[in-house]
Amino acid sequence: MNDDRLIQVTDLKKYYNNGEIRALDGVTTTIGRGEVVAIIGPSGSGKSTFLRSLNLLERPSAGKILFEGVDITSPKTDINKLRQKMGMVFQHFNLFPHMTVLDNMTLGPRKLLGMSKEDAEAKAMDLLAKVALQDRAGAYPNQLSGGQKQRIAIVRALCMSPDVLLFDEPTSALDPEMVGEVLDVMKQLASEGMTMAVVTHEMGFAREVASRVIFMAEGKIITDGAPDEIFNDPSNDRLRTFLAKVL
Amino acid sequence: MICCFDMPAWLSEWLAGIGDEFILNFVKDDRYMYIVKGLGLTLEVTFFAVLLGIALGIICAIVRSTYDKISVEMRPGFGKAVLSFLNAVTNLYLTVIRGTPVVVQLMIAYFVIFASSKNKVLVAILAFGINSGAYVAEIIRSGIMSIDQGQFEAGRSLGFNYVQTMIYIIIPQAFKNVLPALANEFIVLLKETSVSGYIGLEDMTKGGDIIRSRTYSAFMPLLAVAAIYLVIVMFFSKMVSLLERRLRNSER
């Protein structure tokens, strides 16, 4: 299958307590290659659950997710293999504190992609240079600032040469003065054509960088469109209420 | 006399006899060799029992925490049945071993299970190793549980499978967190081997006791044995605190 639909989600559901809580209640959408999709919505709307379902960190209760044409929810699929192509960046960075920055970045390529130490380190250093952190290669995560940690987390994911990057509120745990440096890296990636799905509270980022904005509430996609439509002319009541609160 | 007070008669008598006592207990008939040889056996049994204990402990800890973490989400099938079975075996092992005294376990191992074996050292290693493994398992499990779930997700999201995530990411951090508790367990194990005499193994304690039975003098051999245990434990504690400081590098 060689089309530009990278991820196709069909009627995705995630229930807790036997359906009492419906975190995802029938989500259907498609993410194309090169798209930057911002997912916004009030807390508890299911946007993080949706994102985490895409690489099966959450196992959906029902529905189908195709990644590059392969059904990842099927028991026959080797999810570990597919996750190598889906980078993930977390709110709390989740760098490995017992390893240096360089080891954090080369662990995956060396153990999973079979790269030699030299090749993996060369690639890691290139990526570190891209986020202007090459001088911190030997540092441990706890010696870094929050913004630096998140930039390292992004390049750690990039070391695996993923086809898509999933961001789960990447700037929510940062001090305000560090948000910019992380968003700049994400902007740069977007301009290079990286496919990205970003759960975010940064409306500025969603408006400027995203090619598409999905607004979720109560486990459903309420509206889905270009940033201009979403922000300039919110037709939906719930979207309008939400934007009035966050903008 | 240079001292400014009169020494009590019993003390000066005792001091005068101390040289004779020393010669009687350690020098005559090369009796110190009981302690030297015993020390060798004590260290040998402790060392291999520690290795066995760590191996068993890590395996049991992984089985238990894996069961706690992922059995709920697993689809019914062969994998889940195997995991449930392993978890049940592990729980039985932990309950029985932690619920009975180590001396009894040692005697059961020697006189019942390996009744045909003459190799006391090997039986002692197995008995103490299996005993220690049960405690190490719980220590390491608490270490695994103390690691943030996000570490797990980060490993899995890179594409590592469950076992790889454990080996590369979780266990090294868990090990660092539980190092003080592990060190304590090994200190306990070293001293627990002093009951090896129950199966006639001439460890250091037994060695001291043999001297006592030959010389009818308990003070010197037993204090010498106690002092040697103390020195080993102090040395070991020092090594562990150095290792801890090294491992803490990443936290600065």
Side-chain angles (χ1 to χ4, degrees), chain A residues 159-176:
Chain A
C159 271
M160 296 293 288
S161 309
D163 293 342
V164 59
L165 273 185
L166 311 173
F167 293 83
D168 190 3
E169 305 198 18
T171 57
S172 299
L174 294 176
D175 289 339

Side-chain angles (χ1 to χ4, degrees), chain A:
Chain A
M1 257 227 240
N2 194 17
D3 58 27
D4 53 1
R5 290 174 299 179
L6 191 63
I7 303 175
Q8 290 165 267
V9 181
T10 317
D11 203 20
L12 194 67
K13 290 177 178 160
K14 175 74 180 180
Y15 294 163
Y16 295 103
N17 295 350
N18 295 322
E20 223 173 274
I21 299 164
R22 302 180 165 206
L24 292 178
D25 199 7
V27 172
T28 301
T29 191
T30 300
I31 297 174
R33 277 183 209 279
E35 269 194 303
V36 177
V37 180
I39 302 158
I40 62 172
S43 62
S45 59
K47 53 193 192 306
S48 275
T49 310
F50 169 65
L51 190 83
R52 290 161 53 84
S53 300
L54 295 181
N55 68 351
L56 245 50
L57 282 185
E58 301 282 349
R59 201 164 266 285
S61 311
K64 212 169 166 184
I65 303 166
L66 298 187
F67 175 69
E68 297 180 338
V70 181
D71 181 4
I72 68 169
T73 54
S74 150
K76 289 186 195 100
T77 307
D78 181 1
I79 185 62
N80 298 317
K81 208 83 197 155
L82 289 177
R83 278 185 183 139
Q84 294 175 11
K85 296 194 227 164
M86 309 172 101
M88 183 138 190
V89 176
F90 300 87
Q91 181 178 357
H92 296 288
F93 330 125
N94 298 351
L95 295 176
F96 307 134
H98 60 302
M99 296 179 189
T100 61
V101 164
L102 200 59
D103 289 340
N104 261 278
M105 294 174 67
T106 56
L107 183 71
R110 283 194 293 132
K111 304 289 180 189
L112 294 168
L113 305 179
M115 276 172 87
S116 71
K117 194 173 186 305
E118 293 73 37
D119 289 353
E121 287 185 352
K123 179 167 191 187
M125 289 309 292
D126 279 352
L127 285 163
L128 279 175
K130 207 167 142 176
V131 294
L133 285 172
Q134 61 274 50
D135 57 328
R136 307 313 310 269
Y140 285 95
N142 289 351
Q143 300 164 324
L144 304 173
S145 73
Q148 290 176 327
K149 283 183 199 172
Q150 198 59 299
R151 279 143 71 200
I152 298 296
I154 293 172
V155 286
R156 177 175 73 180
L158 287 176
C159 271
M160 296 293 288
S161 309
D163 293 342
V164 59
L165 273 185
L166 311 173
F167 293 83
D168 190 3
E169 305 198 18
T171 57
S172 299
L174 294 176
D175 289 339
E177 77 267 23
M178 293 173 180
V179 170
E181 61 190 74
V182 172
L183 290 181
D184 285 345
V185 171
M186 293 168 64
K187 246 181 246 181
Q188 193 191 341
L189 285 175
S191 71
E192 289 165 8
M194 172 59 80
T195 311
M196 293 157 61
V198 187
V199 169
T200 185
H201 295 292
E202 294 292 327
M203 294 305 141
F205 175 83
R207 174 181 269 171
E208 282 170 47
V209 183
S211 56
R212 216 173 105 207
V213 178
I214 292 176
F215 172 69
M216 288 182 70
E218 290 166 20
K220 294 192 176 86
I221 292 180
I222 306 294
T223 49
D224 176 350
D228 280 352
E229 301 169 38
I230 300 280
F231 290 105
N232 297 341
D233 182 23
S235 52
N236 183 283
D237 278 348
R238 246 191 292 194
L239 175 58
R240 214 165 15 229
T241 322
F242 173 71
L243 289 177
K245 277 185 199 155
V246 296
L247 283 180

Side-chain angles (χ1 to χ4, degrees), chain B residues 1-22:
Chain B
M1 213 180 213
I2 41 169
C3 198
C4 51
F5 63 91
D6 285 328
M7 202 182 279
W10 64 265
L11 186 58
S12 50
E13 257 171 52
W14 184 79
L15 280 175
I18 207 165
D20 296 342
E21 277 278 302
F22 185 86

Side-chain angles (χ1 to χ4, degrees), chain B residues 172-183:
Chain B
Q173 296 182 57
F175 181 76
K176 191 167 83 176
N177 288 354
V178 299
L179 195 64
L182 272 183

